Amino acid sequence: REVLPENYPMEIYDPEKEYDLDTVFYYDMYGNYRETMATYLARGHRIVLDAKNEHYLPFRFHWMFLLFLQYPGQTMILISGDRAKQIPGLRITATPYWYWILDQPRLQEIGLDQYQPSPRREKKFFMSLGKSRLHRDYLYNGLGDLLQDSVHSYIDRSIFLPNDWNNTMGGAFDRYVNTDWLDTTCFTLAVETYIADYIDGTDITYGFSLTQNDQFFLCEKTYKPLACKHPLLMVSTQGNLSYLRNQGFETFPELWDESYDDITDWQTRINRIIQIVRDFDPQSLDNPAVQEKLLHNSARFFDKDLRTQLLTSTMIDPLLEFINA
C-alpha cells in the first residue's frame, strides 16, 4: 500500500457485494475466502495469490495450482525467492528481497538502525534455533563442547536465550534482538530455514516449488546480523552465501575460509562449518576491512530508498502491470 499510486482503488472484500468484472481479487495464501477463487475465476475475474514469504505452494494447496491452470492468464502468484519458474498459463513473480523489504521497517522500529556495537568478545558465537529439525540436530550435536563458548537457544529442546522477548513487549518475537547477545559474542552462526532438501533419502521439501533455484532462500535469520553489524557465518544450502553477495552484501573471507559454501553434501558442509567455529581467532575481528564491511552491510540493509526501489521493481510494478492489463 505504501508505494501504490496515490488513491489507488482498493477495498476490503465484502462477501455480500456483487463486483464488476474488471475487479481483481487479491488473496493471502494463508488467509480467508480461498474457497471463492473458483467462483470468481469462472466468472472471468482475475486474481492475485500472495504466497508471501514462501517460494512454493504447500502440498495441501495443490488444488489451487490445478485450478489456476484451468484459467490461463487469469492468475498472478507473488512469491519469495529467486527467479520464477515459467509455467504456461500462469504469471509468477518472484522477489529475492522479501524478508529484506519486510523486516527493514520492523528492525528500524525497535531501534536497531541506531545500534552501535560495544563488543566484549566473551563468547565465540551467537546462535538462535527454534523448531527441531534433523539437520539442526546434526549441527547442534556436532558443536558439542563449543556450545559452552556461545550464547544460544534451541527452543524445542527447552534452551532459551537470556533476557529474551516476552509477550509484554509487543511486536514479533522472532524479530527481537537483545543487543547484549551480540556485544557478548564475536559472530553470528546464522542457521537458515533450509540446509538440505534431502536427508537420508527423505524429501523434506514442503510443497511445489515455483522458483528455478529453490535452494536460494534468505530470511530474517540472515538479515538480522547484517542489520546489526555482526559478522556472519551461514549454515544454509549450498550457494546461499554467494546468493547473499549477489544482493550487494559483504561476507567475511578475512575471518574464515568461505569455500564451505561450495560443498554439495550438507553433512560435509556442516562439519566444515563446525571446524571453522573451533578454529576461529577473535583477534581477526580487528582487521579494518571487517569493520568496514559491517558498516556497509548495515547501511545497505537500512537504505530506505533502496528498499523502496526493490519493493517497486520486484513486486509493485509487476502487480500493477497484471492488474491494469
Side-chain angles (χ1 to χ4, degrees), residues 163-233:
N163 301 311
D164 201 355
W165 179 94
N166 63 70
N167 56 16
T168 67
M169 299 170 67
F173 77 93
D174 56 348
R175 296 323 191 252
Y176 176 71
V177 176
N178 183 327
T179 54
D180 193 57
W181 303 334
L182 308 182
D183 289 336
T184 303
T185 56
C186 296
F187 63 90
T188 292
L189 189 58
V191 184
E192 263 292 354
T193 303
Y194 304 105
I195 296 176
D197 291 329
Y198 294 89
I199 295 180
D200 297 331
T202 301
D203 187 352
I204 61 167
T205 55
Y206 302 97
F208 178 73
S209 175
L210 296 174
T211 58
Q212 296 185 40
N213 299 307
D214 57 6
Q215 76 274 19
F216 294 152
F217 185 83
L218 301 171
C219 71
E220 83 284 350
K221 302 173 183 66
T222 293
Y223 287 118
K224 284 195 292 187
L226 296 175
C228 294
K229 308 181 183 74
H230 212 225
L232 173 75
L233 180 61

Side-chain angles (χ1 to χ4, degrees), residues 29-44:
M29 184 167 71
Y30 297 108
N32 299 320
Y33 300 111
R34 292 170 304 201
E35 70 280 359
T36 65
M37 288 180 179
T39 298
Y40 289 117
L41 286 172
R43 291 178 183 175

Side-chain angles (χ1 to χ4, degrees), residues 38-50:
T39 298
Y40 289 117
L41 286 172
R43 291 178 183 175
H45 290 277
R46 287 170 296 148
I47 71 173
V48 176
L49 179 67
D50 186 352

Side-chain angles (χ1 to χ4, degrees), residues 44 62 76 95 103 139-140 182 204 210 212 246 304 309:
H62 190 235
M76 175 180 184
T95 176
D103 286 337
L139 169 68
Y140 191 85
L182 308 182
I204 61 167
L210 296 174
Q212 296 185 40
N246 289 338
K304 293 182 180 179
Q309 175 187 330

